[in-house]
Amino acid sequence: LDSAVICTTVATDELQLAVDLGRTARAAGFGCIAVLPFDAVAADGLDASDRGLLALLPPPTPPLLPRPQFCGKQYLSRRRQFHRMRLWRMLLEAGFHVLGVDPMLRLDRNPLPALGVLRVRADGLQVAGEAYLGAGSSPDVVGGTPGFSLKQIYTYCVWLRSTPATRLLLAQAEARTFGGQDAQVLSEELNWGAGANASCCHSNCLAKQFSVAKPPPA
């Protein structure tokens, strides 16, 4: 798990959330977190120590924008979904294992030891020439909250190993998210689509590695 990256996406006014997440990641042993902003952000206002917590990636060009019908209450959510799928796909293709989290989460401890001991119980599979060992192998995808059925994944906190199966999964999920909710698309592709050969699925230990940031007092 030496190539593991913690990553998140932020709107322009959410940069401090990423800094606070980065502080807990640094305390847990990570040098920084990867951040994909929706638009250009001004990090000049941060002090040097806080800037060092964030590996800020350039925002996509052209911008990832939702369709007009989502320009109301769902606007921010839809933009986060687009950028989340883009970020996960890019990091997986670069060979990084990805721990993708929402910016309001905070690490309570280093999650890698808990993730490193997880093992799948399914039969062995083979994807793009890479053989899995079946029972006893490390899962490709881990969600922190069990879904109601099958391989249902909620995208606020997900662990993804960089494997042929997950790279195929995220390439298809990113493309389809422009027409549907990312959690629904990812779950469908895990069950019946490009990621059907990815081993997964849920562990309570993942969610236990995090807490949710308390909102500021009114």
Side-chain angles (χ1 to χ4, degrees), residues 71-171:
C71 287
K73 293 181 179 179
Q74 298 185 59
Y75 181 79
L76 181 62
S77 174
R78 290 297 290 158
R79 293 204 75 188
R80 191 176 311 284
Q81 292 173 43
F82 298 160
H83 288 78
R84 182 160 46 208
M85 294 294 101
R86 173 69 58 88
L87 177 59
W88 294 2
R89 191 263 302 163
M90 291 191 306
L91 291 173
L92 290 173
E93 289 183 350
F96 293 105
H97 306 313
V98 171
L99 182 56
V101 299
D102 277 1
M104 70 286 298
L105 293 184
R106 304 289 176 262
L107 270 75
D108 293 333
R109 60 189 64 84
N110 187 339
L112 295 186
L115 291 167
V117 299
L118 294 178
R119 295 294 181 266
V120 297
R121 292 175 290 181
D123 294 333
L125 301 168
Q126 188 168 357
V127 184
E130 181 172 318
Y132 293 102
L133 300 178
S137 64
S138 298
D140 292 331
V141 183
V142 179
T145 303
F148 293 105
S149 61
L150 301 175
K151 301 177 182 178
Q152 188 170 3
I153 294 291
Y154 298 112
T155 51
Y156 75 98
C157 179
V158 178
W159 167 250
L160 296 148
R161 291 175 61 240
S162 180
T163 67
T166 58
R167 292 190 288 271
L168 287 171
L169 167 65
L170 262 296

